[in-house]
């Protein structure tokens, strides 16, 4: 489901002659879709791992899968970027997303918000939202930091792996036989 949705997003981004600001809007939609899929993967992984110990973590596996898919499509979006300002804007949005996803989520402020929403008898939607955005089952600030650090390790590993794979595949396409170059000339998304 995630692969199909991101393939559609990326296809529209690359194939339609959008203006620069429309591409920024599409990138924001892409980012929101990725965050939504990540939240779903976290909840499913946490549910599958509930009560288990000493076995393979579905939570970590889901994070790995979602992150690899994110970077696969994220890198291919830049095939459709042809201006420095659009590149700088997309990169700035990406970095902002990273700062919110990791350092901000691991901060004491984020955990205190999480605690306040769960200790108060506030609306159920508020408690559900804080659980989804921070970390399912975080029992202490230290526990939240450990979960975010594990996610950052998975994220960094996927980032490096996908960058190397993208570089190798780009070299194969550029240096490869003419039929390979022609087949994959639009985007690396097809590989």
């Amino acid at each position: 489901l995630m692969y199909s949705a991101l393939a559609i997003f990326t296809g529209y981004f690359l194939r339609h002659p959008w203006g620069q600001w429309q591409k920024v809007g599409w990138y924001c939609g892409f980012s929101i879709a990725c965050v939504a899929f990540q939240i779903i993967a976290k909840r499913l992984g946490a549910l599958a791992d509930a009560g288990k110990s000493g076995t393979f973590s579905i939570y970590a596996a889901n994070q790995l899968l979602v992150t690899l898919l994110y970077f696969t499509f994220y890198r291919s979006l830049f095939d459709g970027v042809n201006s420095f300002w659009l590149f700088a804007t997309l990169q700035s949005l990406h970095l902002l997303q990273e700062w919110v996803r990791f350092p901000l989520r691991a901060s004491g402020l984020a955990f205190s918000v999480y605690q306040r929403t769960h200790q108060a008898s506030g609306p159920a939607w508020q408690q559900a939202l804080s659980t989804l955005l921070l970390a399912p089952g975080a029992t202490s600030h230290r526990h939240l930091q450990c979960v975010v650090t594990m996610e950052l390790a998975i994220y960094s590993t996927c980032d490096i792996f996908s960058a190397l794979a993208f570089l190798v595949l780009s070299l194969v396409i550029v240096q490869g036989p003419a039929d390979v170059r022609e087949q994959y000339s639009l985007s690396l998304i097809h590989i």
Side-chain angles (χ1 to χ4, degrees):
L1 182 64
M2 180 178 178
Y3 181 87
S4 298
L6 296 182
I8 290 168
F9 256 100
T10 305
Y12 276 107
F13 187 91
L14 293 174
R15 290 184 183 90
H16 291 319
W18 306 110
Q20 287 187 10
W21 297 114
Q22 289 171 316
K23 285 193 175 192
V24 170
W26 273 99
Y27 175 77
C28 290
F30 170 81
S31 294
I32 290 168
C34 287
V35 168
F37 282 117
Q38 189 174 40
I39 288 171
I40 292 167
K42 283 181 185 181
R43 294 307 298 160
L44 291 175
L47 288 172
D49 288 347
K52 290 184 353 181
S53 65
T55 62
F56 183 74
S57 171
I58 302 299
Y59 181 89
N62 280 351
Q63 291 306 300
L64 180 70
L65 175 66
V66 169
T67 305
L68 280 173
L69 286 174
Y70 168 77
F71 276 117
T72 298
F73 289 98
Y74 168 76
R75 295 199 190 291
S76 66
L77 288 179
F78 286 92
D79 287 348
V81 172
N82 53 10
S83 112
F84 171 76
W85 297 111
L86 179 59
F87 173 80
T89 302
L90 295 181
Q91 276 300 102
S92 298
L93 289 171
H94 175 74
L95 289 174
L96 176 66
Q97 181 183 343
E98 301 310 305
W99 276 95
V100 169
R101 183 180 294 169
F102 298 112
L104 182 63
R105 273 184 55 223
S107 71
L109 173 67
F111 187 72
S112 67
V113 167
Y114 175 79
Q115 277 187 316
R116 269 188 268 131
T117 57
H118 284 278
Q119 288 173 352
S121 58
W125 68 267
Q126 205 174 33
Q127 293 181 5
L129 183 64
S130 70
T131 299
L132 290 174
L133 294 178
L134 288 171
T139 55
S140 68
H141 183 227
R142 178 77 175 144
H143 181 235
L144 176 63
Q145 288 175 327
C146 289
V147 170
V148 171
T149 302
M150 185 245 343
E151 291 176 7
L152 179 59
I154 290 171
Y155 191 85
S156 300
T157 302
C158 291
D159 186 12
I160 293 167
F161 174 77
S162 68
L164 291 173
F166 196 82
L167 178 64
V168 168
L169 292 174
S170 297
L171 291 174
V172 166
I173 290 170
V174 170
Q175 300 296 322
D179 60 333
V180 172
R181 286 195 305 271
E182 185 178 313
Q183 183 179 0
Y184 297 110
S185 63
L186 178 60
S187 172
L188 290 175
I189 196 75
H190 303 291
I191 294 178

